Amino acid sequence: MERIEALFHAPKPSKKWHSAFLAIYSSRVLASHFTLNKTKPTKIKPSPSFTVIDFNPQKPFKIDQTTLTKIVKEKDLTTLKNHGGIEGIAKALETDAENGIGIKGNEFVEDDVSRRRQVFGSNTYPKPRSRSFYHFVLEAFKDVTILILLGCAALSLGFGIKQHGLKEGWYDGGSIFLAVFIVISLSSVSNFRQNRQFDKLSQLSNDIQIDVVRMGRRQQISIYDIVVGDVVCLKIGDQVPADGLFVDGHSLRIDESSMTGESDHVEVSRVNNNPFLLSGTKVVDGYAKMVVTSVGMKTTWGEMMSSISRDVNEETPLQARLNKLTSAIGKVGLAVAFLVLVVLLVRYFTGNTYNENGIKEYNGRKTKFSDVMNAVVGIVADAVTIVVVAIPEGLPLAVTLTLAYSMKKMMADHAMVRKLSACETMGSATTICTDKTGTLTLNEMKVTKFWMGLEPVMENAYSSVAPYVLELIQEGVAMNTTGSVHKSESGSGFEFSGSPTEKAILSWAVLELDMKMDELRKGCSIIQVETFNSKKKRSGVLLRRKVDNTVNVHWKGAAEMVLKMCSKYYDASGIVKDLDRESMMKFENIIQGMAASSLRCIAFAQTEVEDGEGKAMVKETDLTLIGLVGIKDPCRPGVKAAVESCQNAGVNVKMITGDNVFTAKAIATECGILRHDQDMAGAVVEGEEFRNYSPEERLEKVEKICVMARSSPFDKLLMVECLKQKGHVVAVTGDGTNDAPALKEADIGLSMGIQGTEVAKESSDIVILDDNFASVVTVLRWGRCVYNNIQKFIQFQLTVNVAALAINFVAAVSAGEVPLTAVQLLWVNLIMDTLGALALATEKPSMELMEKPPVGRTKPLITNVMWRNLVAQALYQIAVLLTLQFRGESIFGVSEGVNDTLIFNTFVMCQVFNEFNARKLEKRNVFKGLHRSKLFLGIIGVTMVLQVVMVEFLKKFADTERLNWGQWGVCILLGAASWPIGWVVKLIPVPEKPFLDFLSIKK
């Protein structure tokens, strides 16, 4: 024990290796001590007390994670009080409620964030393992057609080796195995890449920016960077980023449905003994500051999210329609394959088939069992292969490719797709309902006009305004705001935070009126707050001045709303005057004048109340108007051209805004939504007017409305419902929490990435990352491109299917053999389905797409134009190939083997050249923009090279014969003939009514 005691008198180690040595030495001393005592007969009881030698140089916190977690999760008020309440918890976490972490007294604490992360953990949670590549390989093997083909391949391989030996007997079975392997590999790789893309998208969409106070400065950080002790600023629409405790704030109401399932909103405050905030819940009203107590897996939300994985098997409407189409075509293919199977089996067993030497293949009992089985397996393989070719499994692949490709490209164009279906639905949009602020405008607001009473005050003439009135304005701005002002350490400038409107007003008050925000806030205490919401369009505060103990009310908001609450007004000299009818009309004219200049007009009002009066509610009547400010928010560059592009594409653009009707009309005209020569009767309405229409009137007038001013989120929802009832496909932009119902109701919900709340983003299908209307138009163009690319591939794919089915069926019935073998058909299936899908599904959007009217809801997937094109090409291919089948040997003077190779090669060449025709469904010039489609040209080149290899070098594998230059030229010429045929066919007009409607029987 003397050796142990000597350790406590050892000098403090100056280097880390000294600390390590001391730790090792002391542990050995303790171990040797207890080893010596093992020889004693009596058992030593463990000591009830113990001593910990802490070699960790970092100072621990005065409260542990277990206690913090228990307080919030169990809403344990007793334990909270035992630790000194919220202030006690903050003190134990070394957090300053005003200045946040990273500061102690007047000194900055270095590495405070990393220290907290080390002690309490990070705000992340382990995600479920992503699906591996082998998972998608196994999924591909579950395809019934693939399993049948594998069975046929195994039988063919077995009988082939038995009959011809290993050296040559493996060709047929091995080639089927190889083709199946390639199909499975390509399908698995495609699905695996899409899954990885969704994982990245999920990570990006979960990376939310949060407002925190650190080192006395309000700043935005990633939700993943939040640590225990952080002071987080919450406002309407925010997601609570971690578990924590309410520090201060007003009217805070939380939606805890994501955690508890209860839809009722919970009030969080100290007064009602509920200061607990749970991670993952949403702020629906008010604002507050909270101190973080638990992060990551220590929160209930973290535990829940770690067990949830994003569903990437979402089936889009287009995929559902294509699956029905695939199923229908598959049934036709199955019927044809069954007929071919029956015909070939009957011909074989009746002795009507001959081998290469002209000998009957079946001679009753004389024929070996292995020969019979080999022949039957070959016939079954041919029939199954016909089914494989008939089923256009390339369609789902094409949809996957084009959606994945468009998602990636849209991300580069400032649009993050949250739901795959939105990509294709956007292409059918007929109406876009857009916000004004930040979408059509820049959201860079600045106060450009100031009115005191009925007189304007010039920018450099604020000294002419009575000091008392300026003080009232400064007090109203400083106390009635959710924003903040931070002066930089160098003293060279200010940082303003809050909404764009709040920042504009704070900037004006600080820089122009010389407002001292910190002094004003210290000189008053807030009694009650009425937070701003989109319905009232104003906010108010009831406060007590500490200097004279008087109680005052301040209101700020939409000028015409605040004006109705006033009975008096201040003039520039500080004299209070009655707001009579004449003065009211003059103020209304001032407001309308500013609105007509595209200014957002904000009014300030104030009154003193008796102590005790209005404590339950902020007084809303008999106020004194202090002043008016006009805030300029200029239109975004290029927004007029974007609106015009939509209108040319047959998409109607409607502006829905909370601003007054004059501001709305001015901005709409500037953006091109309203024309100067347009009849304004019915084109511009206010939300209340629209709301008060009868349902019949709304449906009658909704299509004519271009601008809805002073609208509430409910009005926006009403408009969306009406437009959908009229058959429109509606896209809606929104950024606020209250926009969530309209975003969900719309066919495509578009939330704003910068100004949008987390509630709005979660309710939307696509997030516009730069809040720009031009990006909405880009999304529209990509949506049309997706739909158009799928239609191109359907036309191309069905031409292949129809031609292959017809040729094999006619040849099997008439000649008793199929000209295209199983391996050849699988090869065509492979290069046409996979490479064709890749070539046509990755075409970029062209401006031509914006010259057509929208597709809408009811248009068929296969249009009359597509039917015309594919039927013409299929008939040509059938005619050419059947001519070669029955007259090829005599026309070209070649053997049967060479003729079969000519049929196979010509069939592939027809598909290669027809791929060019599929690029343009209606335009005759199919080569326009071809030089920009490098991937398309590359795939065509690869297909041609592979076909040459197949014919010239894999003779036994593909059952082909080598062709000379002349024969290759014939094949290419026959394939190239599809170009002039396609050009001529596109001159034939088609009716507007879909072909299939002519076949429907009227009741």
Side-chain angles (χ1 to χ4, degrees), residues 24 72 89 173 221 250 267 296 304 326 467 516 570 649 680 690 741 826 832 856 897 968 994:
I24 294 165
V72 177
I89 296 291
I221 63 169
H250 297 280
E267 187 178 344
M304 185 172 71
T326 304
K516 303 287 189 291
Y570 282 103
M680 295 297 172
F690 183 74
L826 282 170
M832 294 305 114
W968 269 101

Side-chain angles (χ1 to χ4, degrees), residues 146-165 168-177 180 341 369-382 384 822:
I146 293 291
L147 292 174
I148 294 171
L149 271 177
L150 286 171
C152 289
L155 289 171
S156 179
L157 189 66
F159 287 116
I161 292 171
K162 187 176 180 183
Q163 189 173 8
H164 303 291
E168 294 185 0
W170 68 272
Y171 289 142
D172 285 347
S175 59
I176 297 172
F177 269 124
V180 169
L341 178 68
F369 176 75
S370 61
D371 291 341
V372 173
M373 285 305 297
N374 206 31
V376 170
V377 165
I379 290 167
V380 171
D382 287 339
V384 170

Side-chain angles (χ1 to χ4, degrees), residues 333-630:
L334 199 61
V336 172
F338 180 73
L339 283 173
V340 170
L341 178 68
V342 170
V343 168
L344 292 179
L345 286 174
V346 168
R347 288 181 69 92
Y348 176 77
F349 285 109
T350 55
N352 289 315
T353 57
Y354 300 88
N355 63 17
E356 295 171 357
N357 301 319
I359 302 169
K360 276 187 181 182
E361 289 186 336
Y362 182 75
N363 290 303
R365 293 182 180 180
K366 295 178 183 178
T367 310
K368 293 179 182 178
F369 176 75
S370 61
D371 291 341
V372 173
M373 285 305 297
N374 206 31
V376 170
V377 165
I379 290 167
V380 171
D382 287 339
V384 170
T385 309
I386 289 171
V387 176
V388 174
V389 174
I391 296 172
E393 67 268 20
L395 287 179
L397 178 63
V399 176
T400 302
L401 282 171
T402 192
L403 288 176
Y405 179 75
S406 61
M407 277 176 63
K408 187 177 179 181
K409 291 294 181 182
M410 284 164 73
M411 194 71 183
D413 289 336
H414 311 293
M416 183 177 75
V417 179
R418 298 186 72 251
K419 293 182 183 174
L420 264 180
S421 56
C423 282
E424 63 199 43
T425 312
M426 193 67 190
S428 307
T430 58
T431 304
I432 298 175
C433 298
T434 176
D435 286 337
K436 175 187 78 73
T437 306
T439 309
L440 297 173
T441 61
L442 283 169
N443 213 11
E444 294 174 0
M445 299 191 183
K446 185 182 180 183
V447 174
T448 57
K449 296 279 184 183
F450 176 44
W451 288 70
M452 274 300 306
L454 298 170
E455 299 296 326
V457 180
M458 294 299 106
E459 192 170 336
N460 298 317
Y462 296 122
S463 57
S464 63
V465 180
Y468 173 68
V469 180
L470 281 180
E471 287 172 11
L472 285 177
I473 291 174
Q474 290 174 2
E475 184 179 74
V477 171
M479 302 306 296
N480 186 14
T481 183
T482 54
S484 65
V485 179
H486 175 75
K487 192 169 185 179
S488 62
E489 292 175 33
S490 60
S492 58
F494 295 89
E495 291 179 13
F496 303 98
S497 62
S499 70
T501 306
E502 293 282 13
K503 286 196 284 187
I505 293 170
L506 287 171
S507 172
W508 169 72
V510 170
L511 301 177
E512 302 293 338
L513 305 185
D514 197 28
M515 179 183 78
K516 303 287 189 291
M517 188 160 174
D518 289 342
E519 292 177 14
L520 287 165
R521 291 186 80 90
K522 286 174 184 174
C524 301
S525 59
I526 295 174
I527 301 169
Q528 179 71 25
V529 170
E530 283 288 327
T531 54
F532 180 89
N533 63 54
S534 53
K535 188 178 180 182
K536 290 184 175 182
K537 302 193 185 299
R538 60 182 187 265
S539 63
V541 63
L542 184 70
L543 57 87
R544 184 187 300 278
R545 291 178 188 153
K546 292 177 182 177
V547 66
D548 55 10
N549 210 35
T550 57
V551 178
N552 284 261
V553 169
H554 279 276
W555 281 96
K556 174 186 74 182
E560 66 268 34
M561 301 286 189
V562 174
L563 191 63
K564 292 175 184 176
M565 301 161 63
C566 298
S567 58
K568 296 181 281 293
Y569 70 92
Y570 282 103
D571 66 7
S573 305
I575 300 168
V576 178
K577 296 184 177 180
D578 287 330
L579 190 60
D580 54 22
R581 191 177 185 83
E582 185 183 351
S583 302
M584 181 70 82
M585 287 180 67
K586 287 180 180 178
F587 274 114
E588 286 174 354
N589 288 334
I590 291 168
I591 293 166
Q592 288 178 20
M594 281 200 273
S597 301
S598 305
L599 298 181
R600 173 177 285 185
C601 198
I602 305 293
F604 299 93
Q606 174 271 346
T607 192
E608 188 175 323
V609 297
E610 293 294 327
D611 197 358
E613 181 190 346
K615 281 197 176 182
M617 193 188 305
V618 183
K619 187 177 179 181
E620 297 187 16
T621 56
D622 201 26
L623 304 175
T624 304
L625 184 70
I626 310 172
L628 303 169
V629 293

Side-chain angles (χ1 to χ4, degrees), residues 199-338:
D199 285 345
K200 287 178 184 176
L201 178 67
S202 177
Q203 188 176 358
L204 189 65
S205 61
N206 290 335
D207 189 4
I208 302 164
Q209 293 298 303
I210 304 293
D211 278 348
V212 298
V213 179
R214 284 184 177 176
M215 294 187 288
R217 179 170 163 262
R218 187 164 167 170
Q219 54 191 282
Q220 279 200 335
I221 63 169
S222 166
I223 190 171
Y224 301 128
D225 293 334
I226 285 175
V227 293
V228 170
D230 258 324
V231 174
V232 176
C233 304
L234 299 172
K235 61 182 183 300
I236 295 176
D238 281 352
Q239 176 180 313
V240 179
D243 287 357
L245 296 167
F246 176 95
V247 176
D248 66 59
H250 297 280
S251 310
L252 188 68
R253 298 184 73 81
I254 299 291
D255 176 8
E256 293 187 349
S257 58
S258 59
M259 300 299 296
T260 63
E262 298 293 331
S263 58
D264 293 338
H265 298 158
V266 179
E267 187 178 344
V268 176
S269 68
R270 299 190 186 204
V271 179
N272 63 352
N273 288 327
N274 182 30
F276 308 105
L277 288 156
L278 297 173
S279 175
T281 56
K282 306 288 190 305
V283 180
V284 292
D285 197 10
Y287 61 90
K289 282 182 180 177
M290 65 171 274
V291 61
V292 175
T293 56
S294 301
V295 293
M297 288 300 294
K298 307 295 191 304
T299 67
T300 309
W301 180 255
E303 290 174 4
M304 185 172 71
M305 289 303 291
S306 65
S307 61
I308 295 174
S309 60
R310 185 184 174 98
D311 181 19
V312 297
N313 293 323
E314 172 197 358
E315 186 178 69
T316 71
L318 185 58
Q319 283 175 326
R321 290 172 76 181
L322 286 175
N323 286 340
K324 287 182 182 178
L325 178 65
T326 304
S327 177
I329 296 169
K331 287 173 184 175
V332 173
L334 199 61
V336 172
F338 180 73

